[in-house]
Amino acid sequence: MADKRKPYQLVSKEWQSEDTIVDINGTRVGGGTFTVMAGPCAVESKEQLSTIASYIAKRGITIMRGGAFKPRTSPYSFQGLKEEGLVLLREVADKYRLNVVTEVMDVESIQMVGEYADVLQVGTRNMQNYSLLKGLGKIDKPILLKRGMSSTVEEWLLAAEYILVSGNPNVILCERGIRTFNQATRNTLDLGSLALTKQLTHLPVISDPSQGSGIRELVTPLSKASVAAGADGVIVEVHNQPEEALSDGDQSIYFDQFDNLLEGIKNYCQLEQKTINLDNPFSLEANPVRG
Ligand code: PEP
Ligand code: MN
């Protein structure tokens, strides 16, 4: 009889039936919670980052995104502030009691990024960079693994398997849209595959409706749809001045749109009986009634 075992093991539900909960300094991702990670596509300046951090922290967000190393399609586009960006991320995040998720682009930078970040992001272009995945398996920080833009679900899970088998069980998968024939959106957010992946693995799975659509007006509806599809969270790009952004301005939402997004998904989380993680201590101190 043909061997029906899946090619991946450690990430599969057969291997472990209970959900993995990735604990990011107290924010529990997975296991019936819903986590909103937010921030700019790229760190641009202390002023920009502080304005955004202060805004999201007051709303209870506990995990801030922001790229310091940017993998841009064109070598002439803004490549990120690099280590200076990491320093800013740490400084600003500490002030507003936020955790930091930021991209690591190569195996040589794991140590440096790990010194500043709480979660290390593997971008879509690096999902099958196996030396990077193996290196990330040897550290003890959580990894956010984006799906390759042309990768199958099986390839994505096998990429996660590399990290687990190398020793790091703390992996969050992120559906960020795939390449399709459709040119109307930047990518096609593959929520069907997200729902399927939730059935195949015990790892938390979140979505990125910002890279997934490229259009800011679609970020809130796709976030709601992600809750309904079973996602454990979303990662969204928000900017104080999207038209001035050095990367991904068209898909970065305005502050008032971010408020609408939060209000909208709160209702969906209630329907899905998910507890939304909005317990940044900075926000509770700023608005004690919310606690
Ligand atoms: C990003 O998060 O800004 C990014 C570059 O993501 P991706 O790797 O999914 O394109
Ligand atoms: Mn981006």
Side-chain angles (χ1 to χ4, degrees):
M1 213 172 78
D3 184 353
K4 284 201 185 134
R5 279 184 314 179
K6 305 219 167 73
Y8 45 86
Q9 298 182 29
L10 304 183
V11 303
S12 75
K13 276 234 166 111
E14 282 88 15
W15 187 271
Q16 179 187 312
S17 56
E18 69 277 9
D19 285 347
T20 287
I21 295 172
V22 175
D23 191 322
I24 303 166
N25 302 313
T27 297
R28 289 159 65 84
V29 181
T33 63
F34 194 85
T35 306
V36 180
M37 308 179 188
C41 177
V43 180
E44 298 168 9
S45 67
K46 185 165 178 182
E47 196 198 350
Q48 170 241 20
L49 194 63
S50 305
T51 307
I52 298 167
S54 155
Y55 193 87
I56 62 172
K58 282 184 192 142
R59 275 139 189 88
I61 300 300
T62 58
I63 302 173
M64 174 167 68
R65 62 149 292 144
F69 292 91
K70 294 304 301 174
R72 305 304 299 280
T73 303
S74 164
Y76 305 115
S77 303
F78 175 59
Q79 304 283 310
L81 296 181
K82 312 205 171 67
E83 189 165 10
E84 188 194 338
L86 295 175
V87 172
L88 286 176
L89 276 166
R90 191 69 269 156
E91 187 188 330
V92 171
D94 286 347
K95 179 165 177 201
Y96 295 103
R97 317 264 298 253
L98 290 155
N99 294 291
V100 167
V101 54
T102 196
E103 178 156 355
V104 57
M105 277 176 34
D106 47 57
V107 70
E108 293 79 18
S109 329
I110 293 178
Q111 206 200 337
M112 189 211 289
V113 177
E115 277 169 27
Y116 297 97
D118 301 292
V119 181
L120 282 73
Q121 172 177 327
V122 178
T124 191
R125 294 161 184 81
N126 264 320
M127 189 204 82
Q128 288 179 309
N129 178 340
Y130 297 117
S131 48
L132 177 61
L133 300 177
K134 285 185 208 169
L136 293 171
K138 297 196 185 77
I139 64 169
D140 59 8
K141 295 227 164 152
I143 309 302
L144 181 78
L145 179 63
K146 301 265 197 121
R147 178 180 176 190
M149 63 181 91
S150 305
S151 298
T152 65
V153 168
E154 192 168 291
E155 287 162 346
W156 187 22
L157 289 170
L158 283 167
E161 186 88 10
Y162 264 92
I163 303 174
L164 267 71
V165 78
S166 306
N168 186 348
N170 293 308
V171 174
I172 302 165
L173 297 166
C174 178
E175 162 58 42
R176 50 78 70 202
I178 52 170
R179 279 284 166 87
T180 66
F181 62 87
N182 182 26
Q183 305 285 307
T185 52
R186 181 180 182 187
N187 290 289
T188 297
L189 192 68
D190 187 2
L191 292 179
S193 288
L194 185 150
L196 175 68
T197 305
K198 280 295 295 172
Q199 316 238 312
L200 298 174
T201 182
H202 52 83
L203 297 173
V205 187
I206 68 168
S207 90
D208 177 343
S210 307
Q211 328 300 322
S213 66
I215 299 171
R216 74 170 66 86
E217 284 70 29
L218 300 185
V219 172
T220 293
L222 288 175
S223 296
K224 293 175 181 168
S226 299
V227 185
D232 298 294
V234 285
I235 181 165
V236 297
E237 289 179 345
V238 51
H239 200 288
N240 53 325
Q241 284 178 302
E243 44 295 299
E244 307 290 321
L246 297 181
S247 65
D248 288 350
D250 290 347
Q251 66 195 36
S252 300
I253 56 175
Y254 292 97
F255 284 170
D256 60 335
Q257 290 178 310
F258 185 66
D259 282 341
N260 291 337
L261 182 150
L262 282 183
E263 277 318 304
I265 59 175
K266 272 182 204 161
N267 297 331
Y268 280 73
C269 285
Q270 221 168 4
L271 280 173
E272 296 290 325
Q273 296 178 329
K274 291 209 174 217
T275 316
I276 184 160
N277 283 326
L278 285 177
D279 44 10
N280 184 322
F282 182 85
S283 107
L284 299 177
E285 286 154 19
N287 315 284
V289 279
R290 290 186 48 169

